[in-house]
Amino acid sequence: MSRFAEVIVLARDAEEVMQPLTQPDKSREWHECFKRIDDGMFYGSGHSKECYTWIIQFMRHNWHGLLSHLESLPWPAPQSVQVLVRDEEDSCFGLWMIYGGSLVEVTLPHTKREPYAASITGHLARTDNL
């Protein structure tokens, strides 16, 4: 089944934690790898010492377990972790953050998430009719 989804991970001091997810690993359900984005992208000076952003796009409906995997990682600054997810039918990115050791979705104003069988996270729609 074809199903597009984009995921962005923002986290402070997480280079070591995210590094394994930038490499292929046949033991993971998903085979895509995160790409790191650092300030070198803007200045052209190569990789900076610190990276706070990683992105990935899934072409298939094969990323079950990603959110629980991210939740289980030993984040050096869990309060800084933000995971943005936009599935194919979503109106906008949803936001997950770590609270009390769990990765939970933060309710965004003027949005509503409903179950959707063809989606891992459900369907996120804007409710302000824009």
Side-chain angles (χ1 to χ4, degrees):
M1 168 187 279
S2 177
R3 187 92 199 142
F4 293 96
E6 292 102 15
V7 177
I8 302 168
V9 173
L10 305 162
R12 293 242 179 242
D13 302 318
E15 183 71 29
E16 187 175 313
V17 171
M18 285 297 294
Q19 196 283 329
L21 297 179
T22 66
Q23 304 297 318
D25 182 346
K26 291 183 181 185
S27 70
R28 290 193 306 249
E29 180 178 353
W30 66 92
H31 302 290
E32 293 85 348
C33 297
F34 277 89
K35 306 276 189 241
R36 75 192 293 277
I37 298 176
D38 60 29
D39 57 2
M41 179 182 113
F42 302 106
Y43 303 114
S45 61
H47 294 299
S48 71
K49 186 176 178 181
E50 297 180 4
C51 179
Y52 303 124
T53 308
W54 293 265
I55 61 171
I56 192 168
Q57 182 181 58
F58 294 97
M59 303 290 203
R60 295 183 309 273
H61 198 222
N62 69 340
W63 54 283
H64 294 276
L66 174 67
L67 294 175
S68 61
H69 182 82
L70 292 172
E71 177 182 272
S72 73
L73 295 175
W75 299 102
Q79 72 282 1
S80 75
V81 176
Q82 298 175 60
V83 180
L84 301 158
V85 178
R86 190 187 72 79
D87 203 348
E88 189 170 333
E89 302 298 327
D90 290 345
S91 300
C92 60
F93 278 87
L95 171 65
W96 278 257
M97 296 176 75
I98 295 178
Y99 291 103
S102 297
L103 192 60
V104 296
E105 186 169 16
V106 176
T107 303
L108 300 174
H110 307 290
T111 64
K112 181 179 180 181
R113 183 170 300 280
E114 295 180 338
Y116 184 57
S119 172
I120 291 172
T121 56
H123 176 252
L124 183 64
R126 297 219 17 195
T127 60
D128 55 359
N129 298 321
L130 289 179

